[in-house]
């Protein structure tokens, strides 16, 4: 499918993220998608919203959700807005034409860090595209695995948590994530309405990436939370690399081998395989 549908107007794409409007990944993605001929509008949180999933949160003043126009470096012709809301909420606002005409497709990213395995349920990057999916739009969540290849290992999927804060965000290979995203858009647009592609790309120059694989979601995420300390009325948590053995054919296994990896996903829907014997359940008024 072309960037210009049959009506002659470029397909309109909303680009959002959960790292915030200032994050480098979103401007790399916006520039690449606009260069490919799509009509792009950017609307992203004013501050980081990582881990927000598909939450509907916003900062209101006098009952109003505030947003401000921004100019993305190197992309002055792309309209961009910083919004005091979560990524999923921003998608809902865009669908109601808060930032111009309603989008045809929603892209989210490029996220700082992989969104792979079961951890996608917590991702604000993925949550934005699932919100679009629920409305019948196509969505593409794009993440750059900045945890690899700094300390790749078969047991962690390449996780190197401590390395994140020692690397300038501008030095990551955002162009690689943007290139794969643009290449995948035509394939995405040929899938049924509501389809979402979850794309994870190694933090390597595109020439160093071994190719693209389709894979299932791993049973776990790249990182896991543990309780580091518990006391009277409090707990302190720690985040560390997951230690589970990688599942062959999973997204984390492909990333560990320096492949870009894609997984088609959909918004939650009814599980028609489960039948409940509701007639056998008796509900009584509480005796108090």
């Amino acid at each position: 499918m072309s960037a210009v549908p049959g009506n002659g107007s470029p397909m309109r794409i909303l680009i959002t993220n959960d790292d915030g409007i200032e994050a480098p990944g979103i401007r790399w993605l916006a520039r690449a998608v606009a260069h490919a001929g799509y009509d792009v509008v950017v609307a992203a949180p004013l501050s980081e919203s990582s881990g927000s999933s598909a939450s509907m949160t916003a900062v209101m003043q006098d009952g109003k959700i505030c947003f401000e126009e921004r100019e993305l470096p190197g992309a002055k012709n792309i309209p961009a807005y910083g919004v005091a809301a979560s990524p999923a909420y921003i998608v809902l606002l865009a669908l109601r034409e808060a930032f111009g005409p309603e989008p045809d497709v929603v892209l989210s990213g490029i996220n700082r860090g992989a969104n792979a395995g079961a951890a996608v349920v917590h991702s604000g990057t993925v949550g934005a595209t699932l919100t679009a999916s629920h409305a019948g739009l196509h969505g593409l969540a794009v993440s750059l695995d900045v945890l690899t290849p700094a300390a790749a290992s078969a047991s962690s999927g390449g996780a190197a948590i401590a390395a994140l804060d020692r690397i300038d965000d501008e030095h990551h290979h955002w162009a690689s994530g943007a290139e794969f995203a643009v290449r995948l858009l035509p394939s995405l647009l040929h899938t049924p309405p509501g389809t979402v592609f979850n794309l994870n790309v190694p933090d390597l120059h595109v020439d160093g990436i071994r190719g693209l694989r389709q894979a299932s979601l791993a049973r776990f995420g790249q990182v896991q939370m543990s309780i580091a300390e518990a006391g009277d009325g409090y707990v302190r948590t720690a985040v560390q690399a997951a230690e589970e053995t990688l599942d062959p054919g999973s997204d984390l296994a492909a990333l560990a081998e320096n492949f870009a990896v894609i997984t088609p996903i959909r918004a939650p829907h009814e599980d028609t395989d489960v039948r409940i014997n509701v007639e056998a359940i008796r509900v009584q008024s509480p005796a108090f």
Side-chain angles (χ1 to χ4, degrees), residues 68-187:
E68 55 191 53
E69 292 189 31
R70 292 292 185 94
E71 182 176 305
L72 300 180
K76 64 170 58 178
N77 295 324
I78 299 176
Y81 304 91
V83 189
S86 63
Y89 206 149
I90 289 171
V91 171
L92 288 186
L93 294 174
L95 292 174
R96 288 152 181 80
E97 302 185 356
F99 314 111
E102 179 181 349
D104 302 300
V105 182
V106 171
L107 269 61
S108 187
I110 303 166
N111 189 66
R112 179 181 180 262
N115 279 301
V120 297
V121 71
H122 307 297
S123 166
T125 303
V126 177
T129 58
L130 292 179
T131 301
S133 170
H134 188 71
L137 273 64
H138 291 94
L140 174 59
V142 191
S143 302
L144 190 69
D145 185 16
V146 301
L147 303 181
T148 51
S153 69
S155 63
S156 70
I161 309 304
L164 280 176
D165 293 330
R166 299 198 299 267
I167 301 174
D168 184 349
D169 263 357
E170 300 295 338
H171 293 165
H172 292 303
H173 294 85
W174 304 109
S176 297
E179 173 71 13
F180 273 92
V182 169
R183 296 291 183 182
L184 275 169
L185 267 173
S187 296

Side-chain angles (χ1 to χ4, degrees), residues 281-285:
I281 300 174
R282 297 287 182 263
V283 179
Q284 296 179 341
S285 299

